[in-house]
Amino acid sequence: MAPSGSKLVVYAALAGNLAIAVTKLAAASYTGSGAMFTEAVHSFVDTGNQGLLLYGMRRAARPADDSHNFGHGLELYFWSFVVALLIFTLGGAYAVYEGVEKLRHPETMTSPWVNVGVIVLSGVFEGLSFRTARREMRARFARESLWTAVTRSKDPSTFAIILEDGAALIGLGLALLGVVASGFFGWPQGDGVASVAIGLLLIATAGVLFRETRSLLTGESASPRVIEQARAILAADPRVVRIERMRSLQLGPGTVLLAVSLDLAPDLTGDGLRRTTADLRAAIRHGLPGVAHLYFQLPVRERAAGHGTG
């Protein structure tokens, strides 16, 4: 289940993008700006994307059942992949098409100051949404750069908003350049060039989101930080002789499956083995609450004595 902070990020982005989309559409209709219309489509797509993320979060929060023994956390990754697909098609590809049409049939922009005002206002709202998402990401990856945090995060409801809002802020800058070139310097093709540039930016953003969600959807391991902490917790117990192997699977933004092959002290038998595995299990779950499924594999000599996996 995704952390509550992620929902706040998505709700903030949804509210901001809906207001921005309506304002951009009104401005594009009034001034005839292709770049502004492209930006309006972009914001409407982003609004729909946030709705899909919220739906995915609700679906992912369902408890485990007979058909999904480890829960439904991976469903959020599926809907995040759908979001990337929408950004690519409805956002990026359409923006490029709209820009090419404007280049083929350039039109004189009327009242460019209206577009400038909308772009500035949109930048304020997008900036607030981006700051909310960035603050949430910083809370989890305080020592990492923002790009590193995005690539290491297991929560697409946060890193998707950062990518979307970051692209939106850059896109607004491109739209402003197009409006200035077309409306103030008399180069109507500038509007179309800006639309094409915004489309290519969205396609690149979708590509990053595709890569990150595909990796999570196809069985990505837990973060190195979780693995290192789990290894440190186990190694701190004097009854653990050696950690043979550790395997993990990210089952959702806050859910990890961990399988560990251990070599324990040779003098442990019977109740001693049971107490040891129980103590190790409790230590892992106390130090790493996100490890919802934990499995131990013991050496052959211990399994032969009737004390195998735990």
Side-chain angles (χ1 to χ4, degrees), residues 38 55 64 74 79 82 101 132 137 153 233 243 247:
T38 298
Y55 179 71
L74 290 173
W79 289 107
V82 173
E101 287 298 304
T132 301
M137 190 67 83
S153 174
I233 290 171
I243 300 171
R247 296 287 183 267

Side-chain angles (χ1 to χ4, degrees), residues 25-91:
L25 183 61
S29 300
Y30 183 74
T31 64
S33 169
M36 185 55 65
F37 185 75
T38 298
E39 276 294 307
V41 172
H42 176 194
S43 293
F44 275 117
V45 170
D46 282 353
T47 303
N49 289 344
Q50 273 98 61
L52 287 176
L53 287 175
L54 288 171
Y55 179 71
M57 292 168 75
R58 183 170 65 85
R59 297 273 300 176
R62 292 177 298 161
D65 53 34
D66 290 340
S67 62
H68 293 79
N69 297 164
F70 296 110
H72 296 79
L74 290 173
E75 188 151 353
L76 176 57
Y77 298 153
F78 167 77
W79 289 107
S80 301
F81 193 83
V82 173
V83 164
L85 186 62
L86 290 177
I87 292 175
F88 181 86
T89 54
L90 298 183

Side-chain angles (χ1 to χ4, degrees), residues 2-241:
S4 58
S6 299
K7 279 193 174 182
L8 175 63
V9 169
V10 179
Y11 277 124
L14 188 149
N17 277 314
L18 182 58
I20 292 168
V22 173
T23 306
K24 287 178 180 176
L25 183 61
S29 300
Y30 183 74
T31 64
S33 169
M36 185 55 65
F37 185 75
T38 298
E39 276 294 307
V41 172
H42 176 194
S43 293
F44 275 117
V45 170
D46 282 353
T47 303
N49 289 344
Q50 273 98 61
L52 287 176
L53 287 175
L54 288 171
Y55 179 71
M57 292 168 75
R58 183 170 65 85
R59 297 273 300 176
R62 292 177 298 161
D65 53 34
D66 290 340
S67 62
H68 293 79
N69 297 164
F70 296 110
H72 296 79
L74 290 173
E75 188 151 353
L76 176 57
Y77 298 153
F78 167 77
W79 289 107
S80 301
F81 193 83
V82 173
V83 164
L85 186 62
L86 290 177
I87 292 175
F88 181 86
T89 54
L90 298 183
Y94 178 79
V96 171
Y97 168 79
E98 179 69 17
V100 170
E101 287 298 304
K102 284 290 182 180
L103 287 172
R104 292 178 59 198
H105 309 288
E107 299 177 3
T108 301
M109 185 183 300
T110 59
S111 304
W113 282 110
V114 174
N115 285 332
V116 172
V118 170
I119 288 173
V120 172
L121 183 62
S122 299
V124 172
F125 284 115
E126 292 285 7
L128 291 173
S129 175
F130 182 82
R131 187 180 68 174
T132 301
R134 186 174 183 274
R135 184 182 299 152
E136 179 68 18
M137 190 67 83
R138 285 296 186 198
R140 304 181 200 178
F141 299 91
R143 299 181 180 179
E144 307 286 355
S145 68
L146 188 59
W147 176 251
T148 302
V150 167
T151 57
R152 291 187 179 180
S153 174
K154 310 296 183 179
D155 186 2
S157 58
T158 299
F159 69 68
I161 300 300
I162 286 180
L163 290 172
E164 285 183 1
D165 288 348
L169 288 170
I170 298 172
L172 286 170
L174 294 172
L176 180 61
L177 291 176
V179 168
V180 169
S182 180
F184 295 101
F185 288 94
W187 186 47
Q189 290 85 356
D191 201 38
V193 171
S195 292
V196 172
I198 292 169
L200 294 176
L201 171 67
L202 293 178
I203 289 172
T205 302
V208 175
L209 195 52
F210 269 131
R211 185 190 68 184
E212 295 302 317
T213 53
R214 178 196 59 81
S215 180
L216 291 166
L217 195 57
T218 53
E220 188 169 296
S221 62
S223 68
R225 179 180 59 84
V226 170
I227 298 300
E228 289 169 7
Q229 289 181 346
R231 188 176 294 275
I233 290 171
L234 294 173
D237 193 304
R239 295 168 292 185
V240 175
V241 175

